[in-house]
Amino acid sequence: KAGVTQTPRYLIKTRGQQVTLSCSPISGHRSVSWYQQTPGQGLQFLFEYFSETQRNKGNFPGRFSGRQFSNSRSEMNVSTLELGDSALYLCASSRDRSTDTQYFGPGTRLTVL
Amino acid sequence: GENVEQHPSTLSVQEGDSAVIKCTYSDSASNYFPWYKQELGKGPQLIIDIRSNVGEKKDQRIAVTLNKTAKHFSLHITETQPEDSAVYFCAASRDRNTGFQKLVFGTGTRLLVSP
């Protein structure tokens, strides 16, 4: 069974631009969560999607948003990029909301110049 | 808010030695505790997890123990091998029956196993 896939793997943007990252969960998984990983702040929860609805959100500004499609694939968007948004963005999928086990993808490395 | 403390931040051992990483959580409602291994350039990989109705769980060379009273849980790796070298993260989350999927992570432990 294929794991969680994320595209693109690497991205370079400049301040003020916006970016969209994509995540395809493990087949049969319906919940997708997003995390930001930085050397300074570690791994921080961004948001969780289930059945095309955002179910939970972390402490990030409104510039960070996401959505989930009917096939459970998810995208996250960051608008008006800032230098501090440079990070590894990780997507994790789990079978459903009652299942805790989350499986992570390889991440998208975003660099903001 | 929720917080997970993890120690040590770095750990160097000789091949064949044991390694122990400890975590403390603050949210008493937490009852699911996974451990992840992250290698360079990769996403975190689940290696073992434990739920609050279990005090200890073992999978070959890896074991996890949980003390809910003290809000402590630990990862034990025996007979370490160079391929165990990576960053290890502990995490905690609340009651899965509420569907609350947020993982709160520790700050990570860089484990180096020397041949």
Side-chain angles (χ1 to χ4, degrees):
Chain A
K1 184 184 278 191
V4 178
T5 58
Q6 293 187 244
T7 57
R9 292 292 313 277
Y10 303 92
L11 207 49
I12 299 175
K13 293 285 187 179
T14 56
R15 279 181 300 174
Q17 287 187 310
Q18 75 168 20
V19 66
T20 298
L21 312 179
S22 180
C23 170
S24 292
I26 293 170
S27 178
H29 284 197
R30 299 186 295 164
S31 175
V32 172
S33 296
W34 288 88
Y35 294 83
Q36 181 196 66
Q37 185 175 27
T38 60
Q41 299 299 315
L43 277 152
Q44 292 187 294
F45 172 78
L46 278 158
F47 26 65
E48 178 212 356
Y49 285 88
F50 180 79
S51 292
E52 304 176 61
T53 302
Q54 188 181 91
R55 302 291 179 157
N56 195 16
K57 191 176 193 303
N59 296 324
F60 280 83
R63 299 185 297 107
F64 292 81
S65 63
R67 58 178 175 169
Q68 186 181 33
F69 302 95
S70 58
N71 61 358
S72 295
R73 189 177 69 86
S74 177
E75 289 181 347
M76 68 163 281
N77 183 277
V78 188
S79 62
T80 320
L81 284 166
E82 301 177 358
L83 295 178
D85 296 332
S86 294
L88 180 67
Y89 289 89
L90 293 158
C91 166
S93 78
S94 58
R95 195 168 66 229
D96 58 48
R97 296 207 75 214
S98 64
T99 302
D100 296 312
T101 305
Q102 295 188 37
Y103 300 92
F104 283 82
T108 294
R109 172 73 64 185
L110 172 65
T111 301
V112 182
L113 303 176
Chain B
E2 309 98 331
N3 183 50
V4 176
E5 293 186 359
Q6 183 172 348
H7 299 282
S9 56
T10 58
L11 181 58
S12 294
V13 300
Q14 291 293 120
E15 182 176 2
D17 287 349
S18 295
V20 180
I21 303 170
K22 298 182 179 181
C23 289
T24 303
Y25 60 97
S26 62
D27 185 357
S28 56
S30 296
N31 70 351
Y32 173 65
F33 308 92
W35 286 87
Y36 288 87
K37 174 185 180 181
Q38 187 173 27
E39 297 173 300
L40 199 61
K42 297 183 178 180
Q45 176 192 3
L46 180 72
I47 55 172
I48 196 168
D49 57 11
I50 192 168
R51 302 183 191 277
S52 63
N53 57 342
V54 176
E56 183 173 358
K57 183 177 178 181
K58 190 173 182 180
D59 182 6
Q60 299 182 339
R61 297 186 297 110
I62 295 174
V64 58
T65 58
L66 171 65
N67 182 332
K68 281 220 78 178
T69 302
K71 298 184 194 171
H72 290 169
F73 58 113
S74 301
L75 177 71
H76 304 253
I77 306 175
T78 58
E79 300 172 20
T80 54
Q81 301 165 3
E83 49 266 39
D84 293 331
S85 297
V87 179
Y88 290 80
F89 291 95
C90 62
S93 74
R94 284 184 173 185
D95 186 359
R96 62 175 177 160
N97 291 324
T98 66
F100 195 71
Q101 294 279 38
K102 173 184 171 182
L103 287 174
V104 179
F105 283 89
T107 48
T109 295
R110 185 173 299 278
L111 175 64
L112 176 61
V113 181
S114 303

